[in-house]
Amino acid sequence: MSTAIVTPPETFNEAAFNAFLEQRDDPEWIIELRKKAFAIYNEKLCEPLDPEEWKRVDLRIFQPDKFALSADKPAGNKLDTQLQGEAEFKGQVTHENGHCTSSQIDASLVEQGVVFGDLSALVHTHREILEPYFMTKAVAPDRDRFAAWHAAFWTGGTVLYVPKNCSVEAPLHSLIALTQAGAADFSHTLVILEDNASATLLEETLSGDENSPGLHLGCVELIVGKDANLRYVQLQNWNQKTYHFAHQAGLVESNGFMQWTVSALGAKLAHVHQDVVLNGRGSIGEVNGVTFATDKQKISYYTQQTHNAEQTRSDLLYKEVLRDKSRVVWRGMIKVDKKAQLTDGYQRSDALMLSDTARADAIPGLEIEADDVRCTHGATAGQVDEEQVFYAMSRGLSRYEAMHMIVEGFFQTVYDRIPVEAVRKTLSDAVVQKLGIGD
Amino acid sequence: MTSLLKIENLHVNVEETPILKGVNLEVKAGEIHALMGENGSGKSTLAYALAGHPKYTITEGTVELDGANLNELDPSERARLGLFLAFQYPVTIPGVKVADFLRHAISNIRNPDRKEGEGLVPMREFRKELKEQMGSLDMKTEFARRYLNEGFSGGEKKRMEILQLAMLKPKFAILDETDSGLDSDAVRFVSEGLTKLTGPEMGVMIITHHERLLQYNIPQYAHVMMGGRIVETGDVSLAEEIHNEGYTALRERHPEAAAEQEQVEAVTQ
C-alpha cells in the first residue's frame, strides 16, 4: 500500500465519488475543490508514499474498500464521551459517522463574531472566512495520497473562527464518533484565530462500541494569527478496530502561541503527520504527546517542527507507554530555515516498555540551515525500573499497583505542561481505565 | 502478645555470591537494636533480604514475623504484615506525588486485604494525619505535593523515609544507614524524628557504622556483623567501643570472619 497502486479502492473510486457528490448539498466552490482533489488523489495513488514517513508503517493490513462513507445521517446516539461534564463548554459540535448530529454555540460568542460549527454547513454561509484557509496553507491536497483523498471526500468537521482581538475564555468541545461497523469519517478540523485572538478547543474521537471496525481519515488545520493564543487538544480514543490517518498542521504568525496536545490511546493502526510551522518572528509552538499502546496496536507519528522566522521556539515532548505486542513509531524532525536565526528547537520522546514483546522506535532528526540556533533532541526507551517497583512494594503497594503508579508518574510530566484541568483529568482517567485498574 | 521478628540461620545469596552465612537475631516490639559492621559485612544485605528484594535469595534459614514465615512473601506482603525498611538510598519515582504515594501505601498497610482499585483512606482523614506528622517532623507541607524523592537533597530523602515510617506505623522498622551522608543538623532531625516514633509498639533495627544515630536512640542491644554473620552481641558499650577504637580489635577476635569478609569484598569489587 505504501507503494504505488493504480486502481482506487472500490468504495472511493470515480463512481463512489460521483455518488458522494450527488448525495451532498455542497456549494459550487466546494464541488470544484473536491473535483480537483479527486484528480490529484488518482495521480497520487500512482506514486509511492514518502519512504521517510511511511517505511516503518505497515499498510498491508489496511483494506480501504472495507469502509465506505455513509449517506444516512445517524439519529444521534448517546456517546460515552470523556470530556463531557469535565468542564463547562461554551460550544459543542458532534459528528457521527461523518455527519454532524449536533452543534451549539453560546449566544455571547456569536455576538462577538465567533463562528463555531459544522464545516458542511458553514461552507454555504461563511465562504469568505473559510476559503482563504481551507486546505490552502496548512495542509494542501497535493501533499500526498492521504491529503488528496481527504480533500476529495471530507465529510464535515468542526470549524472555529475567532475574530481579531477576541478572547474566548471557556473551552469549546468537538466530538467525532464512529458508531457503525464499516463506517468512515473524513472530518476536517479548521481553527482560525485572527490577530490577538485566543481560544481553547478540546476535541475527542471515540467509537460507539469495542468491536465495530472504522476508518478515520482526518485533517486538522490550525491557523494562529499574530499575538494570538491557541490551545488545541485532540484525544484519540477509537476502539482497537479503527484505522486512523491524519494530516495535522498548525501555522503560527509573529508572537503567536500554540499549545497542541495529542493523545493516542485507541486505534488498530494510527499514523499522524503533525506539523508545527512557525512562520512569524517570536512565535512559539508547544507540542505534548501522550501515547499508551496495548495489545497489537500500531501507532505512528511523523512530526515536523519548522522554524521559518527569527527567534521562534518549538518544544515537543512525547511520552509513550507500550504493553503487550504493541508498536509505536515516532519520527521527528526539526527544520530551521536559514533566515530563522536565534531559534530554539527542542524535541524529546520517552518510551516506557511494560512488556518485552512491545517495540518502540524513536528517530529524531535535525535539518538546520541557520548558523545561530539552539536545537536539542533526545529519545529514551526503557523498561520499568525494578528498583522503583521494589521501593513501592516495600511500602505495601502490590506489584501491579506499583507499575501503574510508575506509568501514571511517567505521563505526569506531560500532564504538568497542560494548563487545562479537564484535559489533565481526562487523560489521567483514560490511562487508568486502559491500565485496567480495579479489574 | 509482644510482636517478634525472628531471624534464624539466615543464608542469603546476591546473584550467585553467598553474603549472609547464618544470621540469628530476635527483635521484640519495644526494643532498639543497633547493627554495626564494616562495609561488606552484610548489614545492608540483611536489610534488603528482610524487605524481600528480588535480587537477594534466601538459600537457607527463615525469617518469621509473629510466627508467619516471610521467606516466600513478596515485599508488599511483608510490608502489610508490618515490616518497614528505611532505605539507605531512597528511590526516586518521577511524577508520583508524595501524598498520592503515601495514601496508597497506608491504605494497603491498614487494610492488608485491599486490592488495587478498592477504596483508599478517606482524603480528609489522610490529609489531617499527613499534616500532623509532617508538622512533628518539621517538614514543610509543600513536600506532600512534590514528586517522590525527585530533586530532594540527601537530608530531605532521609526525612521522607522517616515520614513514611511515621505514617505506616510498622511493627518492625529497619533503618539502613539513615544517618549516612548527612550533616550533623540533618542527623539530628532524623534522629529526633525517630525518637518520637519509637515506643513499646515498635521494634527497631538501626544499621549504622557510625554511632551518631545511637546517641539519640539508645539501643538495648548492639550487634556486630562480620563476614556475613553476627560475631558479637552486647549492649550500648559495644557500639561505643567500636566508635572509639574501630574494628581492629574485633577483627583480631574473629580472624575467620574477617578473612571471609575480605574474600567477599574481593569478589564483589
Side-chain angles (χ1 to χ4, degrees):
Chain A
M1 198 30 225
S2 59
T3 52
I5 42 172
V6 180
T7 342
E10 208 171 296
T11 47
F12 297 97
N13 64 12
E14 188 155 11
F17 179 67
N18 289 330
F20 174 73
L21 288 183
E22 263 316 290
Q23 49 171 268
R24 288 186 63 93
D25 173 33
D26 286 329
E28 202 51 45
W29 70 280
I30 288 294
I31 293 172
E32 285 311 307
L33 288 176
R34 287 190 188 277
K35 284 181 175 166
K36 277 184 205 157
F38 186 70
I40 299 170
Y41 172 55
N42 281 285
E43 285 166 28
K44 291 286 173 190
L45 275 177
C46 306
E47 295 173 9
L49 288 160
D50 177 7
E52 197 49 54
E53 176 168 356
W54 290 92
K55 70 181 172 197
R56 295 172 191 86
V57 186
D58 186 1
L59 281 173
R60 284 173 301 182
I61 56 167
F62 172 51
Q63 296 176 288
D65 54 5
K66 298 264 193 256
F67 303 95
L69 299 169
S70 163
D72 305 322
K73 183 171 169 168
N77 290 295
K78 195 180 172 329
L79 301 164
D80 195 12
T81 120
Q82 298 178 288
L83 279 164
Q84 196 88 61
E86 294 292 346
E88 198 166 314
F89 297 113
K90 289 274 183 178
Q92 211 282 325
V93 176
T94 302
H95 283 84
E96 195 176 332
N97 305 336
H99 298 271
C100 181
T101 52
S102 81
S103 172
Q104 290 132 27
I105 174 173
D106 195 273
S108 64
L109 297 184
V110 178
E111 272 168 36
Q112 295 172 70
V114 174
V115 176
F116 184 61
D118 166 30
L119 179 64
S120 292
L122 294 169
V123 290
H124 291 279
T125 54
H126 291 76
R127 177 176 177 176
E128 71 292 349
I129 290 175
L130 302 176
E131 196 171 16
Y133 298 107
F134 178 69
M135 298 204 81
T136 59
K137 291 187 161 61
V139 181
D142 62 359
R143 189 189 258 192
D144 70 8
R145 160 192 323 173
F146 285 91
W149 192 356
H150 173 89
F153 286 96
W154 64 266
T155 50
T158 298
V159 172
L160 169 62
Y161 166 82
V162 185
K164 202 170 170 176
N165 299 327
C166 175
S167 173
V168 180
E169 298 295 339
L172 301 154
H173 182 218
S174 165
L175 173 64
I176 306 164
L178 283 164
T179 59
Q180 193 186 318
D185 166 88
F186 281 40
S187 60
H188 191 103
T189 302
L190 175 58
V191 177
I192 303 162
L193 298 194
E194 298 273 22
D195 295 349
N196 201 34
S198 73
T200 301
L201 176 61
L202 312 183
E203 187 161 65
E204 62 181 313
T205 75
L206 58 87
S207 304
D209 63 61
E210 287 305 303
N211 298 311
S212 299
L215 167 64
H216 169 80
L217 206 159
C219 183
V220 173
E221 296 188 286
L222 310 172
I223 311 291
V224 181
K226 287 179 189 162
D227 302 301
N229 184 325
L230 173 66
R231 288 169 186 164
Y232 172 70
V233 177
Q234 193 184 51
L235 309 177
Q236 186 270 94
N237 203 5
W238 303 115
N239 68 16
Q240 291 193 18
K241 305 277 184 182
T242 298
Y243 294 87
H244 174 92
F245 300 100
H247 274 290
Q248 308 186 335
L251 311 185
V252 192
E253 295 304 326
S254 303
N255 298 315
F257 174 80
M258 174 174 70
Q259 190 190 56
W260 188 350
T261 301
V262 290
S263 85
L265 298 167
K268 178 188 180 78
L269 168 66
H271 178 75
V272 173
H273 181 135
Q274 184 186 34
D275 280 354
V276 171
V277 186
L278 302 174
N279 279 336
R281 184 191 173 98
S283 55
I284 299 170
E286 252 181 51
V287 181
N288 306 310
V290 170
T291 297
F292 184 12
T294 61
D295 305 285
K296 291 180 177 175
Q297 286 185 284
K298 292 179 173 59
I299 294 173
S300 154
Y301 279 102
Y302 186 80
T303 66
Q304 291 192 342
Q305 296 152 256
T306 305
H307 295 254
N308 288 332
E310 280 182 34
Q311 296 184 22
T312 47
R313 182 168 73 80
S314 70
D315 177 353
L316 177 143
L317 177 64
Y318 269 43
K319 291 260 186 180
E320 299 109 16
V321 172
L322 294 86
R323 202 181 70 194
D324 312 318
K325 292 185 172 175
S326 61
R327 183 167 183 202
V328 173
V329 177
W330 169 68
R331 173 80 177 103
M333 182 63 77
I334 298 179
K335 289 185 175 181
V336 180
D337 187 86
K338 59 178 177 295
K339 46 182 194 301
Q341 298 292 4
L342 300 169
T343 61
D344 183 351
Y346 181 77
Q347 59 175 352
R348 182 180 180 91
S349 160
D350 293 321
L352 181 66
M353 322 292 290
L354 302 184
S355 317
D356 296 340
T357 44
R359 179 175 163 184
D361 295 276
I363 309 108
L366 302 172
E367 279 177 21
I368 299 173
E369 290 181 35
D371 54 16
D372 187 9
V373 301
R374 189 174 74 176
C375 288
T376 327
H377 62 177
T380 64
Q383 309 268 349
V384 171
D385 182 348
E386 281 298 328
E387 294 301 320
Q388 291 177 349
V389 175
F390 170 63
Y391 186 69
M393 287 181 78
S394 79
R395 302 304 186 242
L397 277 73
S398 70
R399 182 171 182 84
Y400 273 116
E401 199 171 21
M403 299 265 277
H404 294 159
M405 199 165 246
I406 292 163
V407 167
E408 288 184 68
F410 177 76
F411 281 133
Q412 186 64 43
T413 46
V414 188
Y415 301 160
D416 285 347
R417 291 162 47 117
I418 304 169
V420 187
E421 164 67 21
V423 173
R424 286 198 302 269
K425 183 167 186 311
T426 302
L427 276 172
S428 163
D429 289 352
V431 166
V432 167
Q433 193 179 22
K434 194 164 179 183
L435 281 166
I437 294 170
D439 277 354
Chain B
M1 189 188 85
T2 308
S3 279
L4 174 68
L5 179 69
K6 191 173 170 188
I7 302 162
E8 221 169 11
N9 190 31
L10 191 68
H11 288 66
V12 170
N13 283 8
V14 180
E15 272 134 20
E16 295 303 306
T17 314
I19 305 289
L20 298 189
K21 298 165 183 171
V23 174
N24 293 288
L25 185 62
E26 287 190 10
V27 182
K28 292 193 185 76
E31 294 176 351
I32 298 179
H33 291 243
L35 188 66
M36 306 182 74
E38 295 173 287
N39 284 334
S41 61
K43 307 185 302 289
S44 287
T45 299
L46 179 61
Y48 277 124
L50 292 176
H53 192 292
K55 280 193 188 145
Y56 294 73
T57 317
I58 297 177
T59 54
E60 206 183 325
T62 53
V63 181
E64 283 181 7
L65 199 160
D66 290 341
N69 188 334
L70 302 186
N71 287 32
E72 299 298 322
L73 300 185
D74 75 26
S76 169
E77 293 165 319
R78 295 177 193 210
R80 292 179 193 210
L81 285 174
L83 197 70
F84 179 90
L85 170 64
F87 281 56
Q88 183 179 2
Y89 303 107
V91 177
T92 298
I93 307 187
V96 174
K97 290 196 180 79
V98 166
D100 289 338
F101 183 74
L102 275 175
R103 192 167 168 226
H104 280 80
I106 67 165
S107 299
N108 289 334
I109 300 294
R110 291 181 194 174
N111 176 14
D113 297 326
R114 179 182 173 273
K115 303 266 189 302
E116 185 177 13
E118 290 178 5
L120 296 167
V121 172
M123 186 56 104
R124 184 188 292 235
E125 189 184 309
F126 169 74
R127 278 202 183 132
K128 185 168 171 277
E129 190 176 340
L130 182 63
K131 207 177 157 191
E132 280 169 12
Q133 294 293 3
M134 291 180 92
S136 72
L137 293 169
D138 198 27
M139 294 175 82
K140 292 195 187 82
T141 45
E142 61 107 12
F143 263 89
R145 291 189 296 273
R146 284 176 66 180
Y147 297 141
L148 191 59
N149 292 323
E150 193 169 66
F152 284 26
S153 70
E156 287 169 343
K157 282 184 185 173
K158 296 297 173 75
R159 234 190 283 187
M160 185 53 62
E161 295 294 290
I162 300 298
L163 174 66
Q164 296 186 36
L165 174 63
M167 293 295 286
L168 298 178
K169 300 184 177 63
K171 289 180 184 165
F172 292 96
I174 304 150
L175 284 85
D176 188 5
E177 307 215 7
T178 299
D179 52 356
S180 70
L182 301 187
D183 60 34
S184 52
D185 276 352
V187 170
R188 190 166 53 80
F189 269 123
V190 297
S191 302
E192 288 175 356
L194 181 62
T195 309
K196 286 177 195 162
L197 300 171
T198 50
E201 297 299 311
M202 186 166 74
V204 183
M205 191 198 296
I206 299 174
I207 297 175
T208 181
H209 49 186
H210 309 292
E211 51 40 280
R212 290 190 292 181
L213 199 54
L214 305 178
Q215 291 173 351
Y216 296 88
N217 298 278
I218 296 164
Q220 289 92 29
Y221 302 94
H223 312 274
V224 180
M225 284 193 80
M226 196 178 285
R229 281 183 208 98
I230 291 175
V231 291
E232 283 192 24
T233 292
D235 59 16
V236 71
S237 60
L238 179 61
E240 281 160 8
E241 182 204 316
I242 291 167
H243 176 60
N244 294 328
E245 295 162 29
Y247 287 94
T248 314
L250 271 150
R251 274 199 297 267
E252 281 165 9
R253 293 208 289 269
H254 307 280
E256 269 178 46
E260 281 190 49
Q261 184 163 306
E262 272 170 34
Q263 222 173 2
V264 169
E265 267 174 49
V267 172
T268 52
Q269 272 166 13

